[in-house]
């Protein structure tokens, strides 16, 4: 049965032609029995054939078939060709035009007007004998109802198809929006992971390079200091590998991995450990916390840690051999303030402009993105008298 339905849907004109042939067969019996001689019979046969043709082509050219039906109806009235079985095609064409979702509205209105006028005009042209006026009116109303019902049914089908088409379009639009949101989320996650990788690699590799240079310098004169530098390189390398495993685990599975090889994301409490690590690498850092420490949102804690990490990394890279730095954490009532300054020679102006220069400056761009994600503000640039300053204010949510 399903194959039959599929065949009907794939060959609508063939199905309509089959019913047109069936209607032509019944109408031919009426033409064969019609009185009034051969010539009227030939005209009636021509009208019957044309009406059956409108049934066969109703879905290919519904508006044209409607106009042809209207013309054939007028010809029947003018040539005195009475109602016959082929007139059933008018009902089907009226339904078809009413059901057209993308058809012109004038065709639907013409179909309704033609259907309403068909029965009264036929009653006037071929009045019933020996029937009272009330009976004629009742008969006319009864004959009008099928035409009106055909149009109403077609219009209902048009409304229903339009409704389902709207639902399908809405579902398709929502699906596209979900795909777009998924792509945006993936891009945002990739950008976040890129920032994390930059912070991890830039900081830890910088520490390892400084320690390696120091170890090579004192290898012959002070083996103990060289050994200590190598231990620092080993510890820093393990920490970098652990953080990179965590990030790669997120890339592979989309979620942080629960394993001893993976470390939690750093927070404000680990800033002091970061400062000690930088001091061990040979950079003088003054660290101070002001205000009352309290729990912070995880996003704010990670942002604060990464800002300090990137700032101290930039000091080692651009501050010069004798540069020193200071780190201040200030707990306000409604925010966390960060101030990182150094007294080195500072970085080139292009490095702290948006976009960097020649692919550089990504660290400060990442800072701005991190601060923007938590709704904070960032100010970065050279200090009066030399050196570099990074100042950030991160808003806090009230602690519950």
């Amino acid at each position: 049965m399903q194959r039959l339905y599929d065949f009907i849907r794939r060959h609508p004109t063939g199905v309509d032609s089959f019913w047109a042939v069936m209607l032509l067969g019944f109408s031919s019996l009426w033409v064969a029995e019609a009185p009034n001689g051969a010539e009227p019979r030939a005209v009636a046969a021509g009208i019957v054939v044309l009406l059956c043709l409108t049934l066969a082509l109703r879905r290919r050219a519904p508006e044209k078939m409607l106009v042809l039906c209207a013309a054939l109806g007028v010809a029947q009235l003018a040539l005195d060709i009475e109602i016959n079985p082929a007139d059933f095609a008018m009902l089907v064409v009226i339904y078809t035009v009413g059901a057209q979702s993308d058809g012109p509205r004038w065709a639907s209105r013409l179909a309704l007007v033609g259907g309403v006028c068909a029965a009264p005009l036929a009653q006037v042209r071929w009045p019933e004998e020996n029937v009272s006026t009330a009976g004629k009116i009742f008969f006319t109303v009864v004959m009008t109802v099928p035409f009106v019902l055909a149009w109403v049914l077609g219009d209902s089908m048009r409304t229903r198809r339009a409704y389902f088409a709207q639902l399908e379009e809405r579902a398709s639009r929502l699906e596209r929006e979900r795909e777009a949101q998924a792509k945006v989320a993936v891009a945002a996650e990739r950008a976040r992971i890129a920032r994390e990788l930059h912070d991890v690699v830039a900081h830890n590799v910088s520490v390892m390079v400084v320690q390696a240079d120091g170890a090579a310098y004192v290898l012959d004169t002070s083996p103990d200091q060289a050994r200590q530098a190598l231990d620092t390189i080993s510890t820093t390398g393990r920490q970098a590998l652990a953080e990179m495993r965590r990030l790669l685990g997120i890339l592979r599975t989309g979620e942080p991995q629960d394993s001893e090889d993976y470390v939690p994301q750093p927070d404000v409490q680990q800033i002091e450990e970061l400062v000690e690590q930088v001091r061990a690498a040979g950079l003088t850092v003054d660290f101070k916390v002001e205000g009352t420490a309290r729990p912070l949102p995880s996003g704010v804690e990670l942002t604060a840690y990464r800002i300090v990490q990137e700032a101290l990394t930039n000091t080692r890279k651009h501050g010069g051999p004798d540069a020193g730095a200071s780190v201040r954490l200030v707990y306000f009532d409604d925010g966390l303030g960060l101030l990182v300054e150094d007294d080195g020679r500072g970085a080139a102006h292009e490095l702290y402009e948006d976009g960097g220069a020649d692919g550089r400056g990504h660290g400060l761009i990442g800072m701005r993105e991190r601060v923007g994600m938590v709704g904070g503000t960032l100010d970065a640039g050279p200090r009066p008298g030399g050196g570099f300053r990074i100042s950030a204010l991160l808003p806090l949510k009230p602690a519950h």
Side-chain angles (χ1 to χ4, degrees):
M1 187 61 68
Q2 185 62 38
R3 292 181 179 178
L4 177 61
Y5 291 153
D6 293 339
F7 177 82
I8 292 175
R9 284 194 294 267
R10 289 195 304 267
H11 305 87
T13 303
V15 175
D16 292 339
S17 299
F18 170 78
W19 291 115
V21 171
M22 296 293 293
L23 182 62
L24 180 60
F26 287 110
S27 302
S28 299
L29 298 177
W30 175 84
V31 172
E33 297 176 359
N36 302 327
E39 185 175 350
R41 199 174 298 143
V43 175
I47 291 178
V48 165
V49 171
L50 291 176
L51 285 172
C52 293
L53 180 64
T54 62
L55 178 60
L57 301 178
R58 65 185 182 93
R59 279 188 271 200
R60 282 186 172 272
E63 293 82 15
K64 295 179 180 179
M65 295 302 103
L66 175 66
V67 173
L68 180 57
C69 279
L72 293 174
V74 173
Q76 282 185 255
L77 293 174
L79 299 175
D80 194 18
I81 299 175
E82 296 183 357
I83 300 173
N84 59 82
D87 291 330
F88 178 78
M90 295 182 180
L91 281 173
V92 181
V93 171
I94 288 175
Y95 162 80
T96 303
V97 172
Q100 286 291 314
S101 59
D102 55 350
R105 297 305 299 166
W106 65 263
S108 179
R109 297 189 185 99
L110 177 61
L112 177 60
V113 172
V116 171
C117 295
L121 291 175
Q123 184 62 32
V124 171
R125 186 68 176 85
W126 303 287
E128 295 289 337
E129 299 179 358
N130 302 323
V131 178
S132 63
T133 303
K136 293 179 180 179
I137 294 174
F138 176 77
F139 182 76
T140 302
V141 171
V142 170
M143 294 301 295
T144 303
V145 168
F147 290 93
V148 176
L149 287 179
W151 183 87
V152 170
L153 180 60
D155 191 69
S156 299
M157 290 297 297
R158 178 190 62 82
T159 304
R160 184 178 180 184
R161 289 170 182 169
Y163 174 71
F164 281 114
Q166 184 179 11
L167 289 180
E168 291 177 357
E169 193 276 334
R170 183 181 301 175
S172 177
R173 185 175 67 250
L174 291 175
E175 183 66 23
R176 291 194 300 270
E177 290 177 356
R178 280 195 295 268
E179 292 178 358
Q181 291 173 357
K183 291 180 180 179
V184 170
V186 169
E189 184 65 10
R190 287 178 177 175
R192 185 187 69 82
I193 293 174
R195 288 194 298 269
E196 290 287 315
L197 284 174
H198 173 275
D199 294 337
V200 170
V201 173
H203 172 73
N204 291 291
V205 172
S206 177
V207 171
M208 294 166 66
V209 169
V210 171
Q211 293 293 330
D213 290 342
Y217 182 76
V218 299
L219 181 61
D220 297 328
T221 60
S222 181
D224 292 338
Q225 292 185 10
R227 186 179 299 107
Q228 183 179 0
L230 292 175
D231 290 340
T232 302
I233 293 174
S234 177
T235 302
T236 304
R238 289 191 180 94
Q239 180 182 354
L241 286 175
E243 292 198 36
M244 292 182 68
R245 288 194 188 101
R246 174 179 62 83
L247 295 174
L248 292 176
I250 296 175
L251 283 174
R252 292 191 183 101
T253 65
E255 298 179 357
Q257 303 292 312
D258 295 328
S259 171
E260 60 182 5
D261 292 334
Y262 296 92
V263 297
Q265 292 194 0
D267 54 23
V268 173
Q269 301 299 324
Q270 297 182 29
I271 292 180
E272 188 172 0
E273 299 178 9
L274 173 66
V275 171
E276 291 297 331
Q277 184 185 35
V278 173
R279 286 171 178 168
L283 180 65
T284 302
V285 182
D286 180 26
F287 178 64
K288 184 180 294 186
V289 179
E290 300 178 7
T292 304
R294 58 185 181 274
L296 306 175
S298 59
V300 173
E301 297 224 6
L302 177 61
T303 299
Y305 182 91
R306 292 307 187 194
I307 288 176
V308 175
Q309 183 184 55
E310 179 64 26
L312 294 179
T313 300
N314 287 341
T315 298
R316 287 200 308 270
K317 292 169 62 178
H318 307 293
D322 299 324
S326 65
V327 178
R328 295 288 184 273
L329 266 68
V330 184
Y331 286 89
F332 299 106
D333 293 337
D334 57 351
L336 175 67
L338 292 172
L339 179 63
V340 184
E341 297 179 307
D342 66 61
D343 55 5
R345 59 173 177 259
H349 178 76
E350 292 81 2
L351 288 179
Y352 54 84
E353 290 293 328
D354 285 332
D358 298 330
R360 301 177 297 172
H362 294 298
L364 291 176
I365 295 173
M367 284 189 196
R368 292 189 178 93
E369 292 177 352
R370 288 184 182 278
V371 172
M373 289 175 63
V374 298
T377 57
L378 177 72
D379 181 29
R383 291 195 317 162
F388 203 79
R389 171 187 295 162
I390 295 177
S391 175
L393 179 61
L394 309 178
L396 303 180
K397 296 181 180 178
H400 295 285

